[in-house]
Amino acid sequence: AGLAAFSAQHQRLLPSARRALRDQIGFYDLHAFLLTSNASRPGLVLTLSCRDHVDARAELQAALGELAPCREWGALLTSVYDTTCSRGQPWWGSLAPELPPAEPAEARREP
């Protein structure tokens, strides 16, 4: 019931958060994947794409505080995030830049 409720709520909130992040911040892609098989606890993997000059962690942190759709979505993620695994960091605090790309940034297609 807990995972089903989380999934339903996430499915409801993600589209408006995705739109706000795209329109207000410049994240042009956001995907969420729920990992459930062969795991002692389910996991959520998020991929966010933004232009190279954007500080994704700072922008996401600001959006979670300032934009209502992002605030509600972020609160949902915070409610299930285990901070003991991240040494007290919030879920967005572990965002890191992409590993070195396989191709130059100029060659990647951005909308």
Side-chain angles (χ1 to χ4, degrees), residues 28 52 101-110:
Y28 57 87
D52 290 337
E103 57 188 70
E106 305 83 51
R108 285 183 282 178
R109 182 174 165 250
E110 294 181 357

Side-chain angles (χ1 to χ4, degrees), residues 3-91:
L3 184 58
F6 169 82
S7 294
Q9 185 76 337
H10 190 265
Q11 186 175 359
R12 183 181 71 78
L13 296 174
L14 184 60
S16 59
R18 183 183 283 137
R19 266 190 307 280
L21 289 169
R22 181 192 62 227
D23 297 346
Q24 302 295 317
I25 306 297
F27 286 103
Y28 57 87
D29 217 357
L30 166 59
H31 296 278
F33 302 91
L34 188 59
L35 307 176
T36 58
S37 64
N38 298 325
S40 59
R41 293 190 308 197
L44 181 68
V45 175
L46 299 173
T47 62
L48 297 125
S49 299
C50 58
R51 287 166 177 65
D52 290 337
H53 68 278
V54 174
D55 180 342
R57 186 182 310 151
E59 293 292 345
L60 185 57
Q61 179 183 6
L64 292 171
E66 297 169 7
L67 304 174
C70 298
R71 193 169 37 249
E72 191 175 1
W73 174 69
L76 174 67
L77 296 184
T78 297
S79 75
V80 298
Y81 185 71
D82 182 1
T83 56
T84 59
C85 292
S86 64
R87 299 183 180 141
Q89 291 274 348
W91 64 266

Side-chain angles (χ1 to χ4, degrees), residues 89-100:
Q89 291 274 348
W91 64 266
W92 47 263
S94 61
L95 281 178
E98 179 181 15
L99 294 174

